[in-house]
Amino acid sequence: MKKLLTILFCFISLTFHAVAAEQAEVEKFAKDLADDIIKNVVLAKVPLQQKQDAFRKSFLAAINLKTTARFTLGRYAKTAQPEQLQAYTDALADNIVCTWANRFNDYAGGALSPDIVSFVSTRQNENGDFYVTSKLKLPNSENDIEMIWRVSDKKGKLKLADLIVEGVSMLISYRNEYTAILQQNGGDIPALTEMLEKKNAVLKKTSGKSA
Amino acid sequence: MTNIRTLLISLCILLTAGCASVPTDPAAAAVYHESNDPWESFNRKIFAFNMAADEYALRPVVNGYRAVTTVGFRSKVRTFLNNLKTPLTIVNDVLQLNFKNAGTDLSRFIINSTLGFFGIYDIAGKMGLPSNSQDFGTTMAVWNVPSGPYLVLPFLGPSSVRDASGLVGDVFLDPVFYAGRGSDNQDVKRGFWVIDGVNVLTSYESVVDLLDEGKKNSLDFYAFMRSMYQQHRKKTVDRAKGIGDSGKQQNDYDFSLDDEEEE
């Protein structure tokens, strides 16, 4: 009986230790990504193009682009041809880079410090993904902004699965908007890709409040 | 009375005419159900009207307000107005049976109205009492009243049938409304009309940058705004229900990505 209890205790301790270690690793992943973006995009005193390149390098490496692209097409992804899906994925990647790099560049207009993001807590959901909660402190804003980094561990590699700002998920937002367009155009993915490419061409050149 | 009936019948006809049928294509049907927007064509017209009103009427006023005030001043005005909304939040806290929040909000109101110089300074926030804002739409959601279809209101923008009726409820539940409108003093009444006007202006001023960014980045600004509103509103309701804080129930963004993986 004593032996059995000892084995059980060791098993629980090891499991708890493994989960805690993985949680620490996930938090480090999210923190490193945030630090990288703050340093090279938000606070960097470089032209917009350079910021977009820096963001592309760190953010696209952190996400699973293929999964993201398929998710944002909803059920329409199932009927897409591989080449259509590839063209859409490329256009979406460009759009993510332009939108978010420009957004972070706009934040740089205020008096920001390197510690604008503070990490609060981490939880794991039933699917095994981790949700790292952080607070974003922007100048001239009365309240902190809640930013959740959804991190998944697929095949031993950590990836950013989603970014949730004040309850608004990046993935769901893209999907809601793009599937609404596909619903109206009869599921024409190349037409959606073309719209994205046109938008990207404008966004690549512009930052600030208007385009 | 007859006029009200005619108005209601006209509105029903208008909404029914704008009601889209459920698409037969499974992918399109999934989008239709997810967006919860059967009155989309009607809503898009109101949305277009709001965008025109923004460009030609509201934006010039906001630009003028920004031109003659500093960021710090606008922040103080917002803090002052938020403090005036606290009694309504307390009423809704009580209706939601959330007495802990009601106590915190009452403390915030007393502290900020006195030490915070009539609510201009958020002293309570600095003392660790977080700000909270509740409305009757959220209260009805806590009572499990369904949101009903998505609705775009003229000038007010994205809403739902439940939240739009909550706006009416808020007017009658707001103690400040009775203090202002119920006063015999005409100057007090006029003062509250001015406060209402400034409230509309500051509320709009605080979201115009987000609107601009959304317009700039989106492919379909209407669908983008609908998604933003529905997700953010869900978050507000979940917070009021205590969902997500302790992980006892899943948030909406806890969806599985596995179905979307390449097979």
Side-chain angles (χ1 to χ4, degrees):
Chain A
M1 187 64 183
K2 210 174 172 182
K3 211 173 175 184
L4 187 72
L5 280 174
T6 312
I7 291 169
L8 195 66
F9 177 75
C10 288
F11 178 74
I12 291 169
S13 303
L14 281 172
T15 310
F16 180 76
H17 187 73
V19 170
E22 196 178 10
Q23 190 163 316
E25 206 182 317
V26 165
E27 282 168 3
K28 189 182 177 304
F29 170 82
K31 198 173 176 315
D32 286 351
L33 181 59
D35 287 347
D36 194 19
I37 292 169
I38 291 166
K39 189 181 152 205
N40 297 316
V41 183
V42 181
L43 298 175
K45 305 264 183 252
V46 292
L48 177 65
Q49 176 64 51
Q50 229 168 304
K51 288 188 176 200
Q52 288 174 345
D53 292 344
F55 187 80
R56 179 183 294 274
K57 198 177 153 202
S58 52
F59 198 76
L60 291 190
I63 65 170
N64 189 336
L65 190 58
K66 246 174 153 183
T67 307
T68 303
R70 284 187 71 83
F71 182 85
T72 56
L73 288 176
R75 287 195 183 196
Y76 292 100
K78 290 185 172 132
T79 52
Q81 300 299 314
E83 63 278 7
Q84 290 178 345
L85 205 54
Q86 188 54 52
Y88 168 75
T89 306
D90 293 342
L92 179 71
D94 272 355
N95 189 264
I96 291 172
V97 169
C98 293
T99 307
W100 286 81
N102 290 11
R103 186 171 292 155
F104 288 128
N105 185 52
D106 291 347
Y107 289 163
L112 292 172
S113 63
D115 58 349
I116 50 168
V117 178
S118 55
F119 287 84
V120 182
S121 61
T122 304
R123 69 176 174 87
Q124 194 174 16
N125 81 346
E126 287 165 354
N127 295 325
D129 285 358
F130 288 89
Y131 291 79
V132 186
T133 303
S134 62
K135 298 278 177 202
L136 182 65
K137 196 178 269 301
L138 291 178
N140 307 322
S141 173
E142 283 95 28
N143 299 312
D144 292 347
I145 296 167
E146 186 193 77
M147 204 179 218
I148 298 174
W149 311 69
R150 178 177 175 173
V151 180
S152 63
D153 183 354
K154 291 277 157 125
K155 295 164 194 163
K157 204 162 185 202
L158 295 178
K159 288 281 178 189
L160 182 73
D162 197 5
L163 203 54
I164 302 131
V165 183
E166 281 296 316
V168 177
S169 145
M170 180 182 85
L171 279 195
I172 293 182
S173 302
Y174 277 125
R175 183 164 79 166
N176 285 350
E177 187 186 346
Y178 295 167
T179 55
I181 293 167
L182 289 168
Q183 185 203 27
Q184 289 188 357
N185 74 8
D188 189 345
I189 293 172
L192 172 67
T193 305
E194 204 183 316
M195 284 173 81
L196 262 174
E197 284 166 348
K198 276 184 188 159
K199 176 63 80 176
N200 294 342
V202 178
L203 291 176
K204 270 179 189 167
K205 293 176 199 149
T206 52
S207 182
K209 302 278 184 281
S210 57
Chain B
M1 193 68 183
T2 321
N3 284 343
I4 292 172
R5 193 178 297 161
T6 315
L7 186 74
L8 284 173
I9 292 168
S10 310
L11 193 65
C12 286
I13 292 168
L14 206 59
L15 286 174
T16 317
C19 200
S21 54
V22 184
T24 47
D25 172 49
V31 178
Y32 176 88
H33 291 301
E34 179 130 352
S35 58
N36 187 27
D37 189 7
W39 303 324
E40 184 171 341
S41 89
F42 174 75
N43 282 336
R44 278 189 185 266
K45 287 185 181 82
I46 302 290
F47 186 78
F49 166 78
N50 285 351
M51 288 301 98
D54 167 53
E55 192 177 345
Y56 298 110
L58 300 171
R59 195 56 67 105
V61 179
V62 168
N63 290 343
Y65 177 59
R66 283 186 166 179
V68 297
T69 55
T70 62
V71 173
F73 175 83
R74 293 196 292 273
S75 170
K76 295 277 176 293
V77 171
R78 273 198 301 274
T79 314
F80 169 75
L81 293 169
N82 286 342
N83 189 54
L84 276 185
K85 287 178 200 158
T86 310
L88 175 64
T89 292
I90 297 167
V91 171
N92 279 296
D93 286 336
V94 172
L95 290 173
Q96 291 169 21
L97 304 180
N98 194 335
F99 299 109
K100 189 183 166 216
N101 275 2
T104 307
D105 292 330
L106 182 62
S107 306
R108 275 185 60 83
F109 185 65
I110 294 168
I111 293 167
N112 284 345
S113 301
T114 51
L115 298 175
F117 203 68
F118 302 106
I120 294 172
Y121 296 96
D122 184 12
I123 304 293
K126 289 187 172 64
M127 290 166 74
L129 296 172
S131 68
N132 173 33
S133 175
Q134 296 296 328
D135 55 71
F136 193 57
T138 315
T139 299
M140 286 195 283
V142 171
W143 294 345
N144 292 323
V145 175
S147 75
Y150 178 71
L151 192 62
V152 181
L153 298 172
F155 297 106
L156 298 174
S159 189
S160 67
V161 171
R162 181 193 60 212
D163 295 338
S165 42
L167 290 173
V168 181
D170 281 335
V171 172
F172 292 103
L173 287 171
D174 190 359
V176 176
F177 173 83
Y178 291 104
R181 305 292 176 279
S183 172
D184 294 331
N185 189 326
Q186 287 303 314
D187 288 339
V188 172
K189 276 190 180 177
R190 274 189 218 110
F192 273 90
W193 278 117
V194 172
I195 287 172
D196 282 345
V198 177
N199 203 357
V200 171
L201 177 62
T202 52
S203 301
Y204 198 67
E205 189 273 333
S206 63
V207 296
V208 286
D209 290 340
L210 285 173
L211 283 177
D212 285 346
E213 202 195 89
K215 203 186 286 184
K216 183 180 81 175
N217 293 322
S218 60
L219 299 181
D220 180 347
F221 189 38
Y222 172 84
F224 170 84
M225 286 297 290
R226 180 176 63 195
S227 176
M228 290 294 117
Y229 175 78
Q230 289 174 334
Q231 288 188 71
H232 187 67
R233 195 63 188 156
K234 180 77 174 50
K235 171 82 178 169
T236 308
V237 169
D238 283 353
R239 263 187 190 153
K241 286 182 171 177
I243 295 174
D245 292 344
S246 59
K248 61 183 173 185
Q249 283 186 55
Q250 284 199 326
N251 285 296
D252 248 22
Y253 50 73
D254 280 358
F255 53 84
S256 168
L257 285 163
D258 293 339
D259 303 340
E260 316 301 331
E261 299 269 12
E262 201 170 10
E263 287 127 33

